[in-house]
C-alpha cells in the first residue's frame, strides 16, 4: 500500500504543477462560463498502436444471429468457438497465440465494466458474453497488447470494450426462425430522445442445435439505459441488464468413437451435460467537462452472478461404474468502479493530455466443485469462500513535440488481496489462507506521422493476468503473471480518407511462469515461461462504389521457453468479408473464417485439423408502404458449403464404458452444419 500511496501522491503532484503552469500560460486567456449550444464533431479516433481500432455497428449487424461472440471475428486474429456442444456456456477465445480458454488472457468490458470473472469455478477469467444483446452495441473498442494504463487484469493479449448505444432513432420489433427449431425475438425502442435519452431492449432465443440430444437452449435478456445531461457540461448514464439461460450439452466427444461408427458426429457420450446461469448488472457512468479543457469522470458497477455447470470430460476413466461427471457451481457478488481526471493543455508549447485515475474491484465468491451422475450430486471435491479485491492507481500522458510525432504512455500499479476459506471439512489439502500481491506496469508508445496518410507505431507495455485465488494463496506461488509485449506497426490510407485502410503489425509477447488452477479437477498446474510472436495484416474499407471489404490474416509462433509447443495455440488465422450494397435496399455479405492446423500437445505429434467456413447474409428493405415505419426482411446461411469442421479440440485421456483402460485421444466439439435462418423486422 505504501507503493500505491507514493504513486498517487506523485501523480497528483504532476497534474497539479501542470495545471498551475497552464493557468499562468500567457497564451491561455481568462474565460467566463457561457451557455454554448451543443455541437456534434465527427472525426477519427486517435490510436496508440497499429493494432488498436474501433469497429462500428454497421460492420457487425450483418453477422449471423444467436451468438454475441460472433462479432469478435471482425478483429484481426480473433476467433471464438463453442466449447461444449451447447451454446449456453462461455466461448473459447483465440487471440495472438493464446488459447485464452474462456478469457484468461483477454479482458472484456461493457461501457468500462469488467466482464471476466476472477477465481471462477470453471476457469480463471471466465467470460460469458451471452448477456449482451448485439443490437444494443454502438461499437467495439479493441486494444491488443498491454499498452494502455487504463486496462489491467487479463489484458495480456488484448482488451475489448463493448460500447452501448444511448438510444435508437427507430424502434424495432423483430422475429426470426430457422433450422433446428431456432427462434429469436427482439424488441428495442427509445421512449425519449432529447434531454433524457432512454433505450430498452428485450431478447428471447431458443434452439435445439444440430445435436441428436436436443440442446433446449433458452436465453432471455433484458437491457435498460438512461442517459441525461444534468448541466450543459456533463453526462450521466445508468444501465441495467439481466440474463437467464439454461441448456443441454453434448460435450467434447472422442474421435475414436466417431471413426469406428459407434458414435454419431453430433451424438454424446453423456447427454446429461449442460447447465444454467443468471447474471444481473447495474452500472453508472458520469463525466463532467470543465471550462479549462479538463474532464472529471466517475464510474461504478455492481453484479450478481450464478452458474451451475454439469460436465463429463473423461467419461468412465476414474469411476467405471457411475462415470466421471462433475458439477461446478459459482455464486458471486461483484462491485467496483473508477474515478479520475483528464486535462488537455500545453507543456512548453506542446499539446498534451494527462490523466490520473484509480480503479477498485471486489469479488465475493462461493465456488464449489463436486461429482455428479446424471445431474444428481454424489460428492464434494472443493468448496471455498473467496474474497478477492484489487486496487489500481494509474497515470497516463500524451504529448506531441512536433506535428509528426506523438508520445503516449503511463504507469499502472495494481495491488491484490486474496482471502480463501475452505468450507469442506472432508476435502483433503484444499487451499486456504490469505495473501497480498502487487505489480507495477510501465507503458510507452511512439507514433510517427502521418506522412502521405501513413502512420508508424512503436509500442512497449507490461500487463498481467491474475491467477485463481485458490492457487495464489499456496506457498511460494506467484499470484500475478507478468507479460511483456512489444509491437511495431503501420497504418495507411493510400487511396484517400474514404478508401481502404491497410494495417500491418509485428509483435512479441513474453509471459512469465504462472500457476493455473484447473477448475475441472480442483488442482493447481504449473506452467513455464512462454514467448509468442507473430505478424498481422489487415485491410478494411470501401473498395469501389457499393463494394466494401474487411479482411485479415495472422501468423503466430507460440512456444514455451524450452522449445515445446503451447497446446491449442493458433498458428494461422484468416477472415474475409465482402459487403455489397445493391440498389433498391438490398445488402449482401459473404464472409469466410479460417483456423489453421495447431498442435494439441507439447511435442507437436498430435494436431487439430484446419478448417474454413463461409457464411452468407442478406438484408432487404421491403418496398411496403406502412402508416408508421418500415419493414425489413433478412436471412442468414451459416456454413454455406456444409463443411465438416471442429470447434473446440483437445487431446487427453478418457475411457468409454466398454474399454478396459483409458485411451489418449482427440476430443472435439463438431462445428455446426449448414443452417438457414430468416425473419422480419419492423422499424417504427
Amino acid at each position: 500500500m505504501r507503493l500505491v500511496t507514493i504513486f498517487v501522491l506523485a501523480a497528483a503532484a504532476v497534474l497539479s504543477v501542470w495545471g498551475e503552469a497552464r493557468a499562468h500560460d500567457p497564451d491561455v486567456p481568462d474565460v467566463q462560463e457561457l451557455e454554448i449550444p451543443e455541437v456534434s464533431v465527427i472525426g477519427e479516433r486517435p490510436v496508440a498502436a497499429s493494432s488498436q481500432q474501433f469497429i462500428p455497428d454497421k460492420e457487425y449487424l450483418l453477422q449471423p444471429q444467436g451468438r454475441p461472440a460472433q462479432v469478435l471475428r471482425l478483429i484481426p486474429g480473433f476467433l471464438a468457438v463453442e466449447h461444449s456442444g451447447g451454446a449456453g456456456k462461455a466461448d473459447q477465445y483465440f487471440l495472438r497465440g493464446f488459447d485464452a480458454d474462456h478469457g484468461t488472457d483477454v479482458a472484456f468490458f461493457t461501457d468500462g465494466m469488467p466482464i471476466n470473472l476472477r477465481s471462477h469455478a470453471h476457469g480463471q477469467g471466465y467470460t460469458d458474453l451471452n448477456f449482451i444483446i448485439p443490437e444494443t452495441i454502438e461499437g467495439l473498442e479493441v486494444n491488443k497488447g498491454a499498452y494502455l494504463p487504463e486496462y489491467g487484469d487479463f489484458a495480456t493479449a488484448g482488451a475489448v470494450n463493448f460500447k452501448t448505444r444511448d438510444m435508437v432513432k427507430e424502434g424495432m420489433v423483430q422475429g426470426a426462425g430457422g433450422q433446428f427449431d431456432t427462434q429469436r425475438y427482439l424488441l428495442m425502442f427509445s421512449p425519449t430522445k432529447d434531454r433524457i435519452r432512454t433505450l430498452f431492449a428485450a431478447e428471447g432465443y431458443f434452439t435445439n442445435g444440430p445435436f441428436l440430444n436436443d440442446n433446449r437452449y433458452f436465453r432471455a435478456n433484458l437491457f435498460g439505459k438512461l442517459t441525461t445531461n444534468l448541466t450543459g457540461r456533463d453526462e450521466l448514464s445508468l444501465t441495467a441488464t439481466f440474463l437467464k439461460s439454461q441448456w443441454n450439452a453434448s460435450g467434447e466427444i472422442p474421435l475414436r468413437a466417431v471413426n469406428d461408427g459407434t458414435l454419431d458426429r453430433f451424438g454424446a457420450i453423456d447427454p446429461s451435460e449442460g447447465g444454467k446461469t443468471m447474471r444481473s448488472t447495474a452500472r453508472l457512468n458520469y463525466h463532467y467537462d470543465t471550462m479549462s479543457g479538463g474532464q472529471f469522470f466517475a464510474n461504478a458497477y455492481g453484479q450478481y452472478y450464478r452458474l451451475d455447470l454439469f460436465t463429463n470430460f473423461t467419461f468412465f476413466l476414474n469411476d467405471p461404474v457411475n462415470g466421471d461427471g462433475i458439477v461446478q457451481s459459482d455464486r458471486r457478488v461483484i462491485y467496483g468502479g473508477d474515478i479520475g481526471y483528464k486535462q488537455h493543455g500545453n507543456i512548453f508549447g506542446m499539446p498534451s493530455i494527462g490523466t490520473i485515475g484509480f480503479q477498485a474491484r471486489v469479488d465475493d465468491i462461493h465456488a464449489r466443485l463436486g461429482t455428479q451422475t446424471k445431474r444428481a450430486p454424489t460428492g464434494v471435491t472443493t468448496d471455498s469462500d473467496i474474497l478477492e479485491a484489487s486496487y489500481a492507481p494509474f497515470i497516463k500522458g500524451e504529448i506531441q513535440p512536433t506535428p509528426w510525432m506523438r508520445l503516449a504512455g503511463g504507469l499502472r500499479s495494481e495491488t491484490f488481496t486474496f482471502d480463501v476459506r475452505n468450507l469442506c471439512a472432508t476435502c483433503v489439502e484444499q487451499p486456504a489462507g490469505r495473501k497480498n500481491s502487487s505489480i507495477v506496469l510501465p507503458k510507452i508508445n511512439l507514433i510517427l506521422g502521418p506522412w502521405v496518410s501513413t502512420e508508424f507505431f512503436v509500442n512497449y507495455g507490461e500487463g498481467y493476468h491474475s491467477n485463481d485465488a485458490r492457487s495464489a494463496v499456496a506457498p511460494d506461488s506467484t499470484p500475478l503473471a507478468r507479460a511483456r509485449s512489444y509491437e511495431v506497426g503501420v497504418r495507411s490510407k493510400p487511396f484517400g480518407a474514404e478508401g481502404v485502410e491497410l494495417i500491418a503489425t509485428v509483435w512479441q509477447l513474453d509471459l512469465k511462469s504462472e500457476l493455473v488452477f484447473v477448475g475441472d479437477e480442483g488442482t493447481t498446474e504449473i506452467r513455464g515461461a512462454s514467448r509468442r510472436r507473430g505478424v498481422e495484416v489487415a485491410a478494411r474499407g470501401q473498395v469501389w462504389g457499393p463494394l466494401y471489404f474487411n479482411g485479415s490474416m495472422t501468423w503466430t509462433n507460440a512456444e514455451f521457453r524450452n522449445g515445446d509447443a503451447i497446446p491449442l495455440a493458433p498458428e494461422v488465422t484468416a477472415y474475409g468479408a465482402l459487403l455489397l450494397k445493391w440498389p433498391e435496399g438490398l445488402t449482401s455479405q459473404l464472409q469466410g473464417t479460417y483456423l489453421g492446423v495447431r498442435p494439441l500437445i507439447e511435442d507437436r505429434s498430435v494436431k487439430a485439423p484446419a478448417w474454413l467456413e463461409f457464411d452468407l447474409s442478406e438484408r432487404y428493405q421491403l418496398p411496403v408502404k406502412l402508416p408508421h415505419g418500415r419493414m425489413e426482411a433478412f436471412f442468414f446461411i451459416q456454413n454455406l458449403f456444409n463443411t465438416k469442421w471442429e470447434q473446440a479440440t483437445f487431446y487427453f485421456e478418457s475411457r468409454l464404458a466398454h474399454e478396459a483402460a483409458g485411451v489418449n485421444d482427440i476430443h472435439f466439439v463438431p462445428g455446426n452444419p449448414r443452417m438457414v435462418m430468416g425473419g422480419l423486422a419492423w422499424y417504427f
Side-chain angles (χ1 to χ4, degrees):
M1 290 303 294
R2 181 179 299 176
L3 177 63
V4 174
T5 303
I6 294 173
F7 182 93
V8 172
L9 291 176
V14 170
L15 284 184
S16 175
V17 172
W18 186 4
E20 186 175 340
R22 187 176 185 277
H24 292 85
D25 189 339
D27 295 331
V28 180
D30 294 333
V31 294
Q32 296 181 345
E33 188 167 348
L34 299 173
E35 286 293 330
I36 301 174
E38 182 176 328
V39 177
S40 297
V41 179
I42 300 174
E44 293 188 4
R45 298 167 181 254
V47 296
S50 59
S51 57
Q52 183 181 349
Q53 63 184 131
F54 179 80
I55 300 175
D57 58 356
K58 64 182 181 181
E59 293 193 23
Y60 61 75
L61 287 180
L62 283 169
Q63 297 298 303
Q65 300 177 9
R67 286 176 55 228
Q70 283 278 56
V71 304
L72 297 175
R73 60 179 166 174
L74 297 174
I75 303 170
F78 206 135
L79 290 178
V81 298
E82 289 184 18
H83 194 281
S84 62
K89 188 180 173 185
D91 287 271
Q92 183 179 8
Y93 304 108
F94 297 104
L95 179 65
R96 286 203 161 177
F98 282 94
D99 166 20
D101 195 30
H102 299 298
T104 306
D105 287 284
V106 183
F108 292 93
F109 303 84
T110 175
D111 292 333
M113 180 187 73
I115 303 175
N116 302 68
L117 300 178
R118 295 169 172 170
S119 303
H120 189 270
H122 183 63
Q124 177 69 340
Y126 186 89
T127 302
D128 181 0
L129 299 177
N130 287 304
F131 77 99
I132 295 175
I133 303 175
E135 287 83 354
T136 65
I137 301 302
E138 182 179 75
L140 273 66
E141 296 172 340
V142 181
N143 301 281
K144 295 180 187 174
Y147 311 123
L148 301 181
E150 56 265 44
Y151 294 112
D153 201 4
F154 306 117
T156 47
V160 179
N161 182 37
F162 292 82
K163 183 176 173 57
T164 62
R165 306 176 187 274
D166 292 340
M167 65 175 190
V168 289
K169 294 181 179 179
E170 299 176 293
M172 178 175 64
V173 176
Q174 177 180 292
Q179 291 175 275
F180 315 124
D181 304 316
T182 303
Q183 304 172 57
R184 183 175 188 255
Y185 304 97
L186 175 66
L187 169 66
M188 185 167 66
F189 65 103
S190 292
T192 57
K193 303 177 183 179
D194 298 317
R195 185 178 181 87
I196 297 178
R197 301 171 293 283
T198 53
L199 176 61
F200 297 98
E203 177 198 40
Y205 182 81
F206 178 86
T207 186
N208 276 324
F211 302 93
L212 300 184
N213 302 285
D214 290 344
N215 282 157
R216 300 194 61 80
Y217 171 47
F218 171 74
R219 179 179 76 231
N221 268 320
L222 298 174
F223 173 94
K225 184 176 182 180
L226 180 150
T227 306
T228 189
N229 305 99
L230 302 177
T231 71
R233 292 191 165 276
D234 70 352
E235 183 175 270
L236 172 70
S237 291
L238 298 170
T239 308
T241 69
F242 176 80
L243 160 74
K244 188 172 184 180
S245 69
Q246 60 187 39
W247 66 96
N248 298 328
S250 294
E252 297 149 10
I253 59 175
L255 180 62
R256 62 187 183 276
V258 176
N259 286 341
D260 66 20
T262 59
L263 181 67
D264 186 88
R265 180 177 173 83
F266 294 100
I269 300 296
D270 185 351
S272 68
E273 294 193 42
K276 55 183 178 181
T277 189
M278 190 272 281
R279 187 173 196 160
S280 55
T281 76
R283 58 185 179 270
L284 177 151
N285 299 92
Y286 177 78
H287 68 82
Y288 178 83
D289 299 326
T290 69
M291 291 291 293
S292 60
Q295 182 183 84
F296 167 79
F297 58 88
N299 307 292
Y301 58 84
Q303 303 182 46
Y304 174 72
Y305 170 87
R306 68 173 186 242
L307 169 73
D308 293 301
L309 184 64
F310 302 90
T311 51
N312 186 348
F313 299 104
T314 54
F315 313 126
F316 295 94
L317 180 65
N318 302 315
D319 188 338
V321 178
N322 300 309
D324 299 346
I326 61 174
V327 55
Q328 293 160 309
S329 299
D330 193 295
R331 305 286 187 273
R332 73 177 61 210
V333 174
I334 310 170
Y335 52 92
D338 62 275
I339 189 169
Y341 182 75
K342 178 167 65 175
Q343 179 68 54
H344 291 252
N346 287 277
I347 297 179
F348 304 113
M350 296 179 290
S352 53
I353 306 172
T355 305
I356 181 173
F358 181 83
Q359 299 172 353
R361 171 178 171 175
V362 177
D363 288 61
D364 190 349
I365 310 160
H366 180 202
R368 186 177 183 274
L369 170 65
T371 56
Q372 55 87 15
T373 301
K374 297 182 178 179
R375 301 200 183 186
T378 57
V380 179
T381 306
T382 66
D383 194 357
S384 304
D385 270 349
I386 303 168
L387 187 62
E388 183 173 349
S390 65
Y391 311 94
F394 68 91
I395 185 169
K396 179 180 179 181
E398 181 176 336
I399 189 168
Q400 187 163 0
T402 72
W404 49 267
M405 176 190 293
R406 281 189 295 133
L407 288 167
L411 197 65
R412 180 185 182 92
S413 173
E414 198 99 40
T415 297
F416 271 75
T417 63
F418 304 94
D419 189 347
V420 180
R421 289 193 301 135
N422 178 25
L423 303 181
C424 179
T426 60
C427 301
V428 180
E429 296 182 358
Q430 288 307 307
R434 302 188 64 178
K435 181 175 282 190
N436 296 336
S437 186
S438 298
I439 193 169
V440 177
L441 307 165
K443 327 271 187 173
I444 185 67
N445 308 285
L446 171 65
I447 303 96
L448 301 174
W451 295 297
V452 195
S453 300
T454 302
E455 286 185 300
F456 299 89
F457 303 82
V458 181
N459 312 93
Y460 171 79
E462 296 186 16
Y464 77 100
H465 74 243
S466 63
N467 287 320
D468 190 289
R470 290 162 289 185
S471 64
V473 298
D476 302 321
S477 68
T478 305
L480 308 178
R482 184 187 296 269
R484 290 186 171 91
S485 50
Y486 314 79
E487 187 170 305
V488 177
V490 60
R491 299 170 71 112
S492 179
K493 287 189 173 182
F495 309 110
E498 300 300 322
V500 174
E501 181 180 40
L502 305 177
I503 304 171
T505 305
V506 179
W507 60 271
Q508 178 176 299
L509 193 152
D510 294 331
L511 191 63
K512 281 195 170 182
S513 180
E514 62 198 87
L515 288 176
V516 179
F517 186 85
V518 184
D520 299 337
E521 300 177 5
T523 59
T524 297
E525 187 174 295
I526 299 175
R527 296 287 180 91
S530 62
R531 168 166 288 177
R532 294 165 171 85
R533 57 182 61 173
V535 179
E536 301 173 355
V537 292
R540 57 201 292 257
Q542 186 176 15
V543 178
W544 167 80
L547 183 64
Y548 296 79
F549 174 76
N550 182 14
S552 63
M553 179 174 291
T554 69
W555 171 85
T556 302
N557 179 55
E559 295 181 334
F560 291 110
R561 297 307 292 269
N562 64 3
D564 288 346
I566 299 177
L568 307 178
E571 295 182 348
V572 178
T573 71
Y575 170 79
L578 282 174
L579 186 147
L580 183 60
K581 295 183 177 180
W582 302 85
E584 307 299 332
L586 176 65
T587 302
S588 303
Q589 179 173 267
L590 177 66
Q591 54 189 339
T593 306
Y594 174 80
L595 177 61
V597 172
R598 61 195 189 281
L600 295 179
I601 57 177
E602 286 81 352
D603 66 5
R604 301 176 176 84
S605 61
V606 183
K607 297 186 177 183
W611 53 263
L612 174 63
E613 184 252 357
F614 290 90
D615 298 328
L616 176 67
S617 306
E618 302 281 353
R619 299 190 83 97
Y620 179 58
Q621 300 286 337
L622 294 173
V624 178
K625 293 184 178 180
L626 299 174
H628 300 284
R630 58 188 178 89
M631 294 287 292
E632 183 180 67
F634 58 88
F635 76 88
F636 311 97
I637 304 178
Q638 292 180 262
N639 194 0
L640 181 64
F641 301 110
N642 203 27
T643 301
K644 283 188 177 181
W645 61 291
E646 290 74 37
Q647 301 196 66
T649 308
F650 305 92
Y651 186 81
F652 55 84
E653 184 181 13
S654 66
R655 179 183 176 185
L656 303 178
H658 66 277
E659 293 176 331
V663 178
N664 288 311
D665 194 11
I666 292 175
H667 299 73
F668 69 96
V669 175
N672 291 334
R674 181 189 296 119
M675 182 216 179
V676 179
M677 183 176 179
L680 291 172
W682 172 41
Y683 295 87
F684 59 92

